[in-house]
């Protein structure tokens, strides 16, 4: 029997995980004991007994009172059953933190307009800054973007084959957005007239077991943005510190996959040929990518999405 420990208010609830997910809210053979406070003021699983904890509604909109859901997951996702409540929360409009193969990311469901607005508010991201999406497959990429260049027999390279060797992996590819992508995700209201009509989006397919487990259960990609200290230009790699910092700003959950190395993805602009590297990160620069030694101009910097 697998047992889940739920800590909050200095109490430890212990119950059979299979019975929990099968019944929704019942707690058969529940035993209560006490434990010392954990390393942060967070809740490690979804329960409904305290008014300070997560509360689901019967509708499609996510609501909660006080409290932050905190789930510790094995980096290999061998305990992926723990992530089922997170998927349900995302579907209902929650905004939370999950690990990727580069950094931790604040995410929400691409189809939830209210969640996207909350994500922007939590991170204080201006409306003109484009957002990135986390995809589980090339099918998602083809639906929400114009896709990767596949060649046309007239001298245009088939870069799709090259990209297939990079994904899943630590790259953010900037592609032209399709009409399926909500306007809240793409660049608009920009002050640059030259790029005012461009509708681009950063696309990621992370090579991370926890992230992939969540994405595979979703019906659409997740909107994502990176996490930095509020007053410093440095990445946050400790999920507990992220919870303490951004929990009060409105986060609903944190999936703790351990500490991460502070190394963002390599950003490649695929809207021009040859593809241009806008930021060199964890992913190596390949022969078909153009990398300039000169400093990136401000317009190019503005193209880099608020991603990971």
């Amino acid at each position: 029997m697998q047992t889940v420990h739920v800590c909050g208010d200095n109490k430890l609830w212990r119950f059979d995980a299979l019975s929990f997910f099968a019944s929704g809210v019942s707690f058969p053979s529940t035993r209560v004991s006490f434990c010392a406070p954990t390393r942060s003021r967070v809740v490690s699983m979804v329960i409904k007994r305290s008014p300070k904890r997560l509360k689901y509604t019967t509708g499609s909109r996510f609501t909660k009172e006080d409290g932050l859901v905190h789930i510790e997951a094995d980096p290999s996702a061998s305990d992926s059953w723990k992530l089922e409540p997170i998927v349900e929360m995302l579907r209902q409009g929650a905004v939370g933190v999950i690990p990727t193969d580069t950094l931790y990311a604040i995410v929400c469901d691409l189809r939830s307009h209210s969640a996207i607005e909350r994500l922007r508010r939590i991170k204080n991201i201006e409306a003109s800054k484009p957002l990135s999406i986390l995809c589980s497959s090339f099918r998602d990429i083809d639906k929400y973007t114009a896709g990767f260049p596949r060649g046309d027999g007239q001298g245009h390279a088939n870069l799709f084959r090259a990209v297939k060797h990079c994904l899943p992996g630590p790259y953010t590819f900037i592609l032209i957005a399709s009409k399926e992508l909500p306007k809240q995700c793409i660049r608009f209201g920009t002050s640059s007239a030259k790029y005012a009509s461009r509708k681009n989006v950063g696309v990621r397919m992370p090579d991370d077991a926890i992230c992939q487990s969540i994405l595979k259960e979703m019906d659409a990609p997740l909107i994502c943005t990176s996490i930095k200290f509020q007053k410093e230009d440095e990445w946050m790699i400790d999920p507990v510190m992220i919870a303490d910092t951004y929990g009060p700003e409105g986060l609903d959950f944190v999936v703790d996959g351990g500490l991460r190395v502070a190394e963002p993805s390599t950003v490649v602009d695929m809207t021009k040929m040859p593809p241009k590297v806008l930021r060199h990160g964890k992913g190596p620069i390949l022969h078909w990518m153009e990398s300039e030694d000169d400093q990136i101009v401000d317009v190019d910097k503005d193209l880099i999405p608020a991603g990971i």
Side-chain angles (χ1 to χ4, degrees):
M1 179 183 74
Q2 291 180 305
T3 300
V4 180
H5 298 271
V6 180
C7 292
D9 300 333
N10 294 329
K11 292 183 179 181
L12 174 66
W13 293 89
R14 188 176 185 182
F15 52 92
D16 179 5
L18 295 179
S19 298
F20 170 71
F21 289 118
S23 60
V25 295
S26 62
F27 294 83
S29 304
T30 301
R31 290 187 295 167
V32 180
S33 59
F34 293 87
C35 66
T38 56
R39 52 178 178 162
S40 180
R41 299 173 288 102
V42 291
V43 183
S44 65
M45 184 55 72
V46 182
I47 64 177
K48 199 176 179 180
R49 290 199 168 189
S50 169
K52 294 185 177 181
R53 295 191 177 91
L54 178 70
K55 182 174 69 177
Y56 287 119
T57 61
T58 55
S60 61
R61 184 179 176 82
F62 172 82
T63 61
K64 75 176 180 69
E65 295 182 0
D66 296 328
L68 177 71
V69 178
H70 182 270
I71 294 180
E72 292 187 6
D74 189 278
S76 68
S78 58
D79 51 3
S80 59
W81 53 270
K82 289 184 180 179
L83 304 174
E84 293 181 25
I86 297 300
V87 173
E88 183 62 25
M89 291 167 66
L90 286 167
R91 288 173 178 167
Q92 294 186 17
V95 178
V97 172
I98 66 173
T100 74
D101 57 349
T102 53
L103 306 164
Y104 274 91
I106 299 178
V107 300
C108 69
D109 193 330
L110 176 146
R111 299 160 298 184
S112 175
H113 291 256
S114 61
I116 295 174
E117 289 306 311
R118 282 209 297 134
L119 180 146
R120 284 189 180 274
R121 187 170 63 251
I122 290 171
K123 272 294 302 297
N124 193 26
I125 302 173
E126 59 188 24
S128 62
K129 188 71 172 177
L131 297 170
S132 292
I133 59 175
L134 299 178
C135 298
S136 64
S137 66
F138 284 99
R139 181 182 301 175
D140 283 342
I141 295 176
D142 289 339
K143 179 177 181 179
Y144 292 95
T145 76
F148 294 100
R150 284 174 163 80
D152 56 8
Q154 299 179 4
H156 296 91
N158 184 347
L159 293 181
F160 176 70
R161 294 179 180 176
V163 170
K164 286 181 66 176
H165 294 290
C166 300
L167 298 179
Y171 292 92
T172 296
F173 291 111
I174 297 178
L175 298 170
I176 298 174
S178 71
K179 294 181 179 180
E180 297 288 336
L181 196 69
K183 291 182 179 180
Q184 292 166 296
C185 310
I186 58 181
R187 188 175 182 214
F188 64 97
T190 176
S191 59
S192 174
K194 182 178 179 181
Y195 292 94
S197 62
R198 296 184 66 174
K199 309 297 183 183
N200 302 330
V201 62
V203 175
R204 288 227 54 209
M205 194 187 295
D207 187 16
D208 178 87
I210 295 175
C211 184
Q212 286 187 358
S213 293
I214 294 173
L215 288 173
K216 287 178 181 178
E217 296 301 320
M218 296 296 297
D219 302 321
L222 293 176
I223 299 296
C224 70
T225 182
S226 57
I227 309 174
K228 290 187 176 182
F229 288 95
Q230 293 173 317
K231 297 182 179 179
E232 301 176 28
D233 189 24
E234 294 183 4
W235 307 106
M236 296 188 72
I237 60 175
D238 185 347
V240 171
M241 188 176 294
I242 293 171
D244 287 339
T245 302
Y246 285 97
E249 301 298 323
L251 282 183
D252 300 313
F253 67 83
V254 171
V255 177
D256 186 340
L259 295 177
R260 299 281 155 146
V261 176
E263 192 171 6
S265 62
T266 293
V267 180
V268 184
D269 184 2
M270 301 289 287
T271 65
K272 58 183 65 176
M273 292 295 128
K276 183 178 180 181
V277 176
L278 301 184
R279 180 183 72 191
H280 187 197
K282 186 176 181 179
I285 298 177
L286 304 177
H287 65 88
W288 51 271
M289 303 175 184
E290 182 181 71
S291 177
E292 296 182 356
D293 295 330
D294 298 335
Q295 191 172 13
I296 297 175
V297 298
D298 290 339
V299 170
D300 286 336
K301 285 181 179 180
D302 199 29
L303 288 174
I304 298 177
I308 51 175

